[in-house]
Amino acid sequence: MGRILSLENIPILGPIVKRIDQEGESFFEAGRTLVEFLRRMARSIRANNFDEVRCCYDPAFQGRRLGLTECVRDSEWDGISRMVFRADETLITAQLAADEWRAWFADFQEIETVELHVHRLEEWRTPDRFTAVVRFEAIGTRQGELVAGIDRAHFRMAWRITQDGPRLYEQSLVEGDRIIGRDMLFQDISAQSGIDFKNEYYPGFLNQPLKFAMLLYGPGGITTVDYDNDGFYDLFIPDGVSSRLFRNRRDGTFEDVTEAAGLSGLDGASCGIFADYDNDGFKDLFVSRTFRPNQLFHNNGDGTFRDVTRESGIGEDSCTTAAGWGDYDNDGYLDLYVGRYLDPRKCIPTTFYARNGEPNQLYHNNGDGTFTNVTKRAGVGETGLCLAVVWGDFNDDGYSDLYVVNDFGRKTLYRNNGNGTFTDITSKSNTLAYGAGMNASFADYDNDGRFDYYVTHIRSEFAWFAESPTIKRYMLSCLRQGTWMTDMPLFWEIVRQSGVDLVSVFQQMSSGNTLLRNKGDETFENTTEKANANPPGWFWGASFADFDNDGWQDLYATNGWVYNKKDTELELEFLHNVVTHPKIYKTGIYFDPEHFRTESWHGWERNRYLHNNGDGTFIEVGRATGTDLVLNSRSVAVADFWNRGVLDMAVAASGDKHALLKNFVGTRRNWLQVELVGRRSNRDAVGARVTIYAGGKLQAREVVLGDGYGSQNTLRQHFGLDQHRVIEKLIVRWPASGTVQTFTNVAANQIVEITEGIDALVRKDYRSVSEVVRVPVTV
């Protein structure tokens, strides 16, 4: 680590060191003071204690109303109403400010939550004055309503610091809205369906000492696959103790067939990804393992699987968290990319920016049931702490590129050179996306025909802490405590990638999810803020899907981390400790559950549903759609489980029961689903591009196998058509052959199969009986 330096004793440096310490501590204390103030104020409001709320305001207060009781209807769709807050410029007294909160509270028959958080600390240097933007969120059922709605806003607030603590003396509304849904749009049917068993922690995390013990709370994958080719999607759920395969009975329930399928005993599994790697028409299974080698199972075609790991040549990789199948060389066989984390028995993330993970691996499919490790030759041996990967042809050159998402650091975009090698173009493509990356999604969210990336991160409620005083103090602590020898090379790597503005890098690391819009010139634009694609939370898996069949892909993201005692949060303490005690951080104690015991860390947070507005923006409607599960969720898998023309969601939890959300909103509009069968291309058609035009508007999908976080979505491509009954044009571009097939005037509300090189659509009629009827469709 290096020896500890007494920088204060160096004459030239002493005053500088003292100033950095004082400024850093003042900044932290200012933020912590406001955090505690807002917690008390929120508790007082929730408890109907408006005498205490009145005491939050300075006697000399002269601010404005927050618009809490003045809402104007803005829009309505699918039974969801949105109203926006309105506030005039009239100055009010402290009593009127408290009365506004009282009147807001009185409008409810029941309140579930009231939250106030520091969003951004704007002024803190003046000892007796603080200014911040505050985030407000409340859930409750209003008088006369049958369901709960959600109020959200940002306020600008200023405090005067008195002997009795901070007092509000200015406030104003920045923006705010109220959203309420009156219809049942999704219903959790996990109990009825038989998949609501509890996720168990991996014994290997519990029965031995770990340097990075927090990994205990990570895994929780889920996979949807039609493993038996009956046209109904089944579920594979990885687990710490016993992963399970559930067969879809076609009647709304699932049957546990794990033992009968020959898949018993799969513990310590993070993800299970199915792919027809030998093109025999049945989907085989790759299972990631933690402290054991990964495994590959061949589908025998009779409902059973055989372990072919040893004969396949798949390496004895462990500590695997993610995997993706893609035919990177267009030879018609699916190759496998294995994403790995660090070994928690040996090390912890080096710092906020870590590159000490187990190296990822690329296995080339030889076409004879065996694989060859080509990682070094291909140039994709990423050593970040990988949590997600996704294959996809972002630049439309006919070859699948690779995006690797890492925890504690950067993401990496590898451009496929078309000759078996890849080039890291992350920096010049603007896809670095610093942060605790956990999800990789590849989708055309704005229907411009170009495919974009979405990465989930942690959006800290203490992101305000990532400012210059904190960064300077952290650097100083590294020098003092001797950790600079391991940390500084990593900071220099950041500088080489992103320049010297480390503050903006650290701000991005804590700022939350990232939406990268494809500009069509091998570069991407960060449209996260403009698109409103970054809800608060600690996010994991996410899936794009047109849940309401309106022609635009929505986004569902899972949320949560450590669900211990409610109304506790240890993150600010953790961040402060890391900044001031980096040497102790290196011991791993701050990641040890025994250290924080009963406190939560981003616990009891809700999943978020982002509705696509069709104009490049999203609006969060989780509460209104009934999808805001408080489940410590990890991953989500999307499929039309009962072939109704709508996309449902299976949601995996960590240490909790899984959920199955049945879709009722999408049944109101038209749809089309497309199944692809490759012949020269891989049979699963991974990498194939489907583009449709309905009502003159374009929609595009690419077949992706193994995106999200520890998950796999349906391979059947789903298109919502709104009120359109005919698709004017349907175009399929195949990856290996380059063949382009075009179909016109395709009727809506059906599942069709397209085989590479055969210019005919086949209608698939999947019934709730054993046979599957195949009827040709006249085009």
Side-chain angles (χ1 to χ4, degrees), residues 27-28 31-32 35 118 120-121 461-467 572:
F27 177 73
F28 169 72
R32 182 165 65 175
V35 167
V118 176
R120 184 173 60 252
L121 191 56
E461 295 293 2
F462 309 101
W464 55 265
F465 194 43
E467 289 286 357
L572 184 57

Side-chain angles (χ1 to χ4, degrees), residues 325 390-392 442 686-687 702-707 713-715 717:
W325 293 90
V390 64
W391 292 96
F442 183 71
V686 175
E702 183 165 316
V703 182
V704 173
L705 209 169
D707 56 339
N713 295 304
T714 177
L715 296 185
Q717 301 306 296

Side-chain angles (χ1 to χ4, degrees), residues 98 127 186 189 194 264 274 323 348 351 470 484 586 616 728 742 767:
F186 286 83
I189 62 165
S264 299
F274 288 77
I348 66 170
T351 181
T470 301
W484 61 273
K586 300 292 185 184
E728 296 99 51
T742 302
R767 301 178 180 179

Side-chain angles (χ1 to χ4, degrees), residues 33-90:
T33 297
L34 296 188
V35 167
E36 292 174 351
F37 173 92
L38 291 171
R39 282 177 180 169
R40 290 194 304 271
M41 185 173 178
R43 283 197 297 265
S44 297
I45 295 169
R46 174 71 180 83
N48 193 19
N49 188 344
F50 291 99
D51 289 337
E52 287 291 333
V53 175
R54 170 63 182 82
C55 291
C56 293
Y57 288 89
D58 191 86
F61 172 85
Q62 281 195 317
R64 294 168 175 80
R65 297 186 188 278
L66 299 175
L68 298 168
T69 59
E70 299 294 332
C71 286
V72 178
R73 186 171 299 278
D74 176 74
S75 56
E76 188 165 347
W77 71 98
D78 293 330
I80 300 173
S81 298
R82 178 178 185 258
M83 293 166 280
V84 296
F85 292 177
R86 289 286 184 262
D88 59 36
E89 295 297 309
T90 305

Side-chain angles (χ1 to χ4, degrees), residues 118-170:
V118 176
H119 176 65
R120 184 173 60 252
L121 191 56
E122 295 185 333
E123 177 55 51
W124 54 273
R125 291 178 176 84
T126 304
D128 61 348
R129 175 188 170 94
F130 298 155
T131 304
V133 175
V134 172
R135 185 177 72 83
F136 165 65
E137 183 167 296
I139 297 175
T141 306
R142 313 192 86 79
Q143 303 290 348
E145 297 282 0
L146 298 177
V147 294
I150 185 166
D151 284 7
R152 285 178 296 220
H154 285 97
F155 307 131
R156 179 165 281 104
M157 291 180 162
W159 291 260
R160 186 170 69 87
I161 308 305
T162 71
Q163 291 182 342
D164 298 323
R167 293 292 183 269
L168 274 166
Y169 77 95
E170 286 182 8

